[in-house]
Amino acid sequence: IGEQVSLKCSFTSSFPISERLTIDWTYRPLTGGQMETVFLYQSVPYPTTVGKFKDRISWVGNVAKGDASIAIQSPVLSDNGTFICSVKNPPDV
């Protein structure tokens, strides 16, 4: 609580990393409900601009090294839930 937390995500691909690579981070609260996108990467990072994680997500990954990690600033107990990292590097998924 209160300290920055890193959410680790690593990936490998059979194809060279290209500008078509996308990373989606989604979140679902412990109580269930709608999944919400909290981060998108497509050539550059796009932290969410709406919702409970607005202005609190930062990119800490490095796609060249197979790292798709993000960080959450000032986490609170209500941030608890399921975070899913999805990486696509066409034609590899």
Side-chain angles (χ1 to χ4, degrees):
I1 303 248
E3 294 185 16
Q4 177 177 301
V5 63
S6 292
L7 300 180
K8 302 290 186 194
C9 177
S10 59
F11 65 93
T12 56
S13 179
S14 327
F15 294 89
I17 303 301
S18 75
E19 70 281 346
R20 295 173 59 205
L21 178 128
T22 60
I23 300 165
D24 289 292
W25 275 92
T26 53
Y27 163 80
R28 175 180 282 140
L30 269 184
T31 53
Q34 283 294 105
M35 295 287 285
E36 78 177 86
T37 296
V38 295
F39 183 85
L40 173 65
Y41 180 98
Q42 194 164 18
S43 297
V44 295
Y46 295 99
T48 187
T49 56
V50 296
K52 68 184 292 171
F53 294 103
K54 179 182 189 291
D55 299 327
R56 296 198 298 135
I57 301 283
S58 57
W59 172 244
V60 294
N62 180 337
V63 293
K65 294 182 176 176
D67 184 356
S69 303
I70 59 172
I72 302 174
Q73 277 71 42
S74 305
V76 293
L77 204 52
S78 63
D79 291 340
N80 207 355
T82 303
F83 291 84
I84 299 170
C85 171
S86 174
V87 179
K88 297 181 183 88
N89 184 40
D92 198 357
V93 291

